[in-house]
Amino acid sequence: MTSPSKKNAVKRRPDFLAIDFFCGAGGTTRGLIDAGGYVIAGVDKDTRCRQTYVENNWNATIDYAPPKFLRRDIFPATDAYPGGEHTELEGDLERLIECYRDRVPGTPLLFAICAPCQPFTKLSRKELSETRKAGRERDSNLLTEAAKFVKRFQPEMVLSENVQGIGDPKYGGVWDDFRVQLGKLGYATGSKVVCTSNFGIPQYRRRSILIAVRRELANPAFLTTGHMGDLVVPEAAPDNVVTTVEAAIGHLPRLTAGATDLNIPNHKTRSLSDLNLKRLSAALPGVSNAYMEDTPDGDLSLACHRKVNAKLRTRCFNDVYTRMSPDRPSPTITTKCHSISNGRFGHFDVEQLRGISLREAAMLQSFPADYVFYPTDMIEPIARMIGNAVPPRLAEFFSRHLAASIARP
């Protein structure tokens, strides 16, 4: 995405200012800007996201500049963890927020706090090194640390998104604790698990949403009747039309496995072994991988899968080495979305023996077609950015909802 032309742009006040914590490659920021907000800064300790974040997210109001990328660790520095930068980040935000509040007085501030989901997923239960275990344990407290910045800066609105299971008690109640902390700080809150396919996103992806607005500013029409102080969390966009995989990506040029389209950014696929090409050549859209037991090349199912299926007396891992259905939203786009051995990531067109491309994965996440991920010559780092991102349209919808929930004079 290039900078909007100042000559043609309409200079207006943003509907809100925003700070995007844990911004990654910018899915949330893209949605905040599309909702009419001005994103002051994105905060992330992973510098690999910087180029993708900055070059794709030019603001459309005030100065038409991209958000600042603040490479900061939000934890405080301690003897056990000297890399913490809480104090430095607080200073950065104090200067930036004061500057922009002076430029557009009276404009509400939104904190987007979409913490990394790894500590709250099944994958986190894998065997980890002691260093990674310590990191995961620390990261499970990210929401608590972020709440300290809410307390310090008192934004009018807070938006948080995470995996469906974050509310499970086995993760220590971090989601409910975060909501309670916001309530004690004077916010009306609401939380619900929603599916992204109900918000114009061509993907089945169930996510936990938490929204908050300062209680004294809340429009009564946005509060539930059963429990005063609870914000209404919509389960679907009012005008939602379910978007299918074919509608979202069917127009893109054909590719082969391991190929790159030089005219379309990130339209790049992973190569496949001869065996996986045989598997995919026998796969039909939308079916399970039971097809592998009887292909023109014989039984191509994995020995390890046969062993587990026999032991458990049921079929497991049904979606690996399969194709998406063209007439439905896609399955959840993960950080392994480039690999047909990690889910239902085969292209729906039976004439294309390949997994989906990085561009297709990004579009199924609702990123704009001109959103370029860097470095463009790599696959796995980009797949990780795409799979970890908040779908921009989801962030757009809920930030608009929050902005509307503030009672105006």
Side-chain angles (χ1 to χ4, degrees), residues 351-399:
E351 295 185 7
Q352 298 190 62
L353 299 183
R354 63 176 179 89
I356 58 171
S357 72
L358 297 171
R359 173 52 48 201
E360 289 163 340
M363 294 178 78
L364 293 172
Q365 276 276 62
S366 76
F367 279 96
D370 61 352
Y371 202 103
V372 182
F373 294 84
Y374 298 96
T376 57
D377 61 339
M378 300 188 75
I379 287 184
E380 292 199 12
I382 292 177
R384 193 178 307 117
M385 289 184 206
I386 293 170
N388 281 334
V390 176
R393 285 185 191 169
L394 193 68
E396 178 184 358
F397 177 87
F398 280 104
S399 56

Side-chain angles (χ1 to χ4, degrees), residues 143 173-185 187-192 209-212 224 227 229-231 233:
L143 292 175
V174 294
W175 193 245
D176 288 342
D177 288 348
F178 183 49
R179 186 176 180 181
V180 168
Q181 289 177 70
L182 293 176
K184 289 180 178 179
L185 292 174
Y187 291 86
T189 66
S191 178
K192 190 170 289 185
I209 296 292
L210 192 158
I211 55 176
T224 59
H227 181 192
D230 284 357
L231 276 179
V233 182

Side-chain angles (χ1 to χ4, degrees), residues 293-330:
E293 296 175 359
D294 183 21
T295 79
D297 296 291
D299 186 351
L300 299 181
S301 56
L302 279 70
C304 59
H305 289 182
R306 291 197 299 269
K307 184 177 180 180
V308 171
N309 292 344
K311 181 178 180 180
L312 300 179
R313 297 182 181 180
T314 186
R315 288 196 62 82
C316 304
F317 312 107
N318 287 330
D319 285 344
V320 297
Y321 304 102
T322 59
R323 294 179 180 273
M324 293 181 179
S325 298
D327 55 356
R328 304 180 64 193
S330 79

Side-chain angles (χ1 to χ4, degrees), residues 198-236:
N198 293 325
F199 297 89
I201 299 163
Q203 177 188 175
Y204 290 121
R205 184 186 189 97
R206 292 182 62 76
R207 306 297 284 183
S208 292
I209 296 292
L210 192 158
I211 55 176
V213 64
R214 294 207 58 78
R215 191 173 290 115
E216 71 273 13
L217 300 176
N219 185 334
F222 286 74
L223 297 174
T224 59
T225 56
H227 181 192
M228 281 304 294
D230 284 357
L231 276 179
V232 173
V233 182
E235 295 186 63

Side-chain angles (χ1 to χ4, degrees), residues 262-316:
L262 299 179
N263 297 314
I264 297 178
N266 307 128
H267 194 31
K268 180 181 182 70
T269 60
R270 181 175 175 173
S271 59
L272 295 175
S273 67
D274 289 342
L275 179 56
N276 282 341
L277 287 171
K278 289 178 181 179
R279 286 174 173 142
L280 207 54
S281 68
L284 296 175
V287 303
S288 78
N289 61 16
Y291 78 87
M292 289 198 296
E293 296 175 359
D294 183 21
T295 79
D297 296 291
D299 186 351
L300 299 181
S301 56
L302 279 70
C304 59
H305 289 182
R306 291 197 299 269
K307 184 177 180 180
V308 171
N309 292 344
K311 181 178 180 180
L312 300 179
R313 297 182 181 180
T314 186
R315 288 196 62 82
C316 304

